[in-house]
Amino acid sequence: MSIILVFCEGKGGKLKPVSREIVSAAKKLGGEVHAVVFGEVSDAASLGAFGASKVIQITNPELAHYSTEGYAQAAAEIIKAENPAAVVFAATARGRDLAPRTAARVGRPLLQDCIELKMEGGELHVRRPIYAGKVLMWCKVKGGFAVASLRPKAFLAEETGGTAQVESRTVSLDASKIRAKVLEEKMAAGATLDVSEADIVVSGGRGLKGPEGFAIIEDLAKSLGAAVGASRAVVDAGWRPHSEQVGQTGKVVSPTLYVAVAISGAVQHLAGMTTSRTIVAINKDADAPIFKVATYGIVGDAFEVLPELAKEIRKLKAEN
Ligand SMILES: Cc1cc2nc3c(=O)[nH]c(=O)nc-3n(C[C@H](O)[C@H](O)[C@H](O)COP(=O)(O)OP(=O)(O)OC[C@H]3O[C@@H](n4cnc5c(N)ncnc54)[C@H](O)[C@@H]3O)c2cc1C
């Protein structure tokens, strides 16, 4: 049976949720899924429940911390050894860095930020956004395997009930080619839920008038268990950190629910959120472009609408 090789990610010694999503997506391609994890990831075997038949745990000490050059060397070695029909990464910050280097090393095409996948006649077909999300295209790779990165939250993590055999492996590396060394990793202060990993995102824009305007965003986010996002205008003004920016030059998100508050809907913002499953826009301008992509729209003043929304959500939660 053909092998689909999936490069998973961990954080703080545990799998990142996106790892389960990309293993599930790979399983649907019909091959045997071999998942790769780097370093100590205590729940790596649980990928078996999502469709992986084998988990390859890479134990080289040089790879305990992420480095583009070290991981790309290792990934290429594993690909050569596994001879896969397709190679899958997550389109996270790390995956977007690692997948191109790896694809170049193995001399195969790369398809970034895919939101749908299928295998037909041994060829990988993927759907991905182009022109900053204005167009969704299907493309296929002929004449051998492809490397694809999959957008977080675009695929559901689905349990299949299987188990995986875990194999520890070291790969041969030329350590002299790893020129950057990570000395320490620190969590961003106060970081709780990352926008690109959250199931629900509540984002605020310049219409909130200032950093204090984000109190209503934080309150609604808290009532929904959501992450807080922001437009670039807000980040450029220094109201919110860059880690919260959604869009072309920020993070790409695909949550189940995206709430855009006082955001106009510039094309660069839309590039980061249009594949969200449900989009709710709140804006006082009925002609704001954000309403063109919204599933539900509320024309109104955010400072009046949001407190009411948060109140109703808390009431509903208390009733259930
Ligand atoms: C190369 C490049 C890359 C970019 N990358 C990004 C990116 O990654 N992400 C991004 O977001 N932008 C990006 N931009 C910027 C983008 O073009 C817009 O300038 C930006 O998204 C606007 O932010 P905004 O919607 O918050 O502000 P504005 O466009 O000023 O919109 C504010 C909105 O708030 C509404 N409003 C005002 N008061 C209220 C109120 N009380 N209640 C409700 N609504 C209210 C207004 O009607 C308006 O629609 C990029 C631009 C360039 C050139």
Side-chain angles (χ1 to χ4, degrees), residues 133-293:
K134 279 195 162 175
V135 177
L136 294 177
M137 76 183 298
W138 275 104
C139 49
K140 68 173 179 176
V141 172
K142 299 198 279 190
F145 73 89
V147 179
S149 70
L150 313 191
R151 181 177 284 198
K153 295 278 167 207
F155 299 87
L156 283 178
E158 289 173 80
E159 293 205 40
T160 57
T163 53
Q165 166 213 341
V166 181
E167 177 196 311
S168 289
R169 207 187 275 186
T170 52
V171 286
S172 87
L173 289 176
D174 180 352
S176 69
K177 297 259 165 64
I178 308 173
R179 291 169 298 174
K181 193 171 174 197
V182 176
L183 300 176
E184 193 186 1
E185 282 178 4
K186 272 191 187 169
M187 290 289 283
T192 43
L193 203 49
D194 188 276
V195 275
S196 53
E197 286 170 20
D199 230 13
I200 305 177
V201 176
V202 181
S203 283
R206 185 154 43 196
L208 294 168
K209 318 280 185 244
E212 59 292 339
F214 268 75
I216 55 169
I217 299 287
E218 281 170 353
D219 187 49
L220 181 64
K222 206 164 153 200
S223 73
L224 288 165
V228 171
S231 71
R232 177 165 162 179
V234 158
V235 172
D236 284 353
W239 302 353
R240 302 299 296 186
H242 183 259
S243 57
E244 291 180 3
Q245 186 182 317
V246 172
Q248 191 180 316
T249 44
K251 289 184 179 158
V252 174
V253 302
S254 268
T256 313
L257 173 64
Y258 187 84
V259 186
V261 183
I263 291 179
S264 57
V267 64
Q268 296 91 350
H269 187 82
L270 302 186
M273 44 64 75
T274 40
T275 52
S276 306
R277 242 161 256 161
T278 300
I279 298 171
V280 174
I282 300 158
N283 197 302
K284 67 179 187 186
D285 174 8
D287 296 323
I290 192 75
F291 287 124
K292 292 204 178 105
V293 299

